[in-house]
Amino acid sequence: DPAVLTLPGFGTVTCTNNTFDATVGASGGATIGGTLDSLTFNTCTDTIPIVTISSCHLVNGTPSLTITATSHNGGTIAINDITVKCNAGGGNGCYYTAPVATGAANNTGASLTYANVNVTHTTGSGDLGAVCGNSATFSTTFTDLTSAGTGRTVVLNQTP
């Protein structure tokens, strides 16, 4: 599924080439900590008047995350204090943040779904202000779960 940012009264941003890279701790319990190292949304189109969003990416460091097993088939991945910038060119864009974004992990389908996560517009370098709206919802499903390296890096890629 594509990543979709819905801004009520303004339009939507839809991105179809997306990645989620995280480093997680050793397993051994129902809860594992880690960090979100990279989050990118590319190949974007939008229906927002005035601006054209080409991509979005993680800003302001590497947020912590918590993986919680809820069954043998999956669980949740909660990302804490996440901020994403959606690029509109020339260094300008719209910034969105959430205190926590919780997704549902599915081991059988090797997928991670974030559905209707509430985000709010925040300021940042080159922020476009009012054309970004005040709040939005974000939804996507990442598939193609892979694990690599000794640091237990989890990579989720979503492409059409």
Side-chain angles (χ1 to χ4, degrees), residues 9-110:
F10 287 86
T12 60
V13 177
T14 303
C15 305
T16 58
N17 185 4
N18 312 308
T19 62
F20 174 109
D21 298 328
T23 301
V24 298
S27 59
T31 303
I32 302 169
T35 56
L36 179 60
D37 302 320
S38 173
L39 182 65
T40 59
F41 304 100
N42 293 303
T43 316
C44 301
T45 58
D46 70 72
T47 61
I48 303 170
I50 303 172
V51 299
T52 300
I53 302 296
S54 59
S55 64
C56 302
H57 65 278
L58 181 67
V59 294
N60 298 338
T62 53
S64 67
L65 57 84
T66 304
I67 301 171
T68 304
T70 56
S71 73
H72 70 280
N73 249 354
T76 61
I77 298 181
I79 305 168
N80 303 300
D81 299 317
I82 185 170
T83 302
V84 171
K85 178 183 180 185
C86 292
N87 301 302
N92 297 316
C94 297
Y95 291 78
Y96 299 98
T97 189
V100 65
T102 302
N106 179 317
N107 291 337
T108 304

Side-chain angles (χ1 to χ4, degrees), residues 135-159:
S135 62
T137 58
F138 170 78
S139 298
T140 193
T141 296
F142 294 99
T143 57
D144 301 326
L145 173 65
T146 61
S147 167
T150 57
R152 301 184 56 84
T153 299
V154 175
V155 180
L156 291 161
N157 297 298
Q158 181 273 310
T159 54

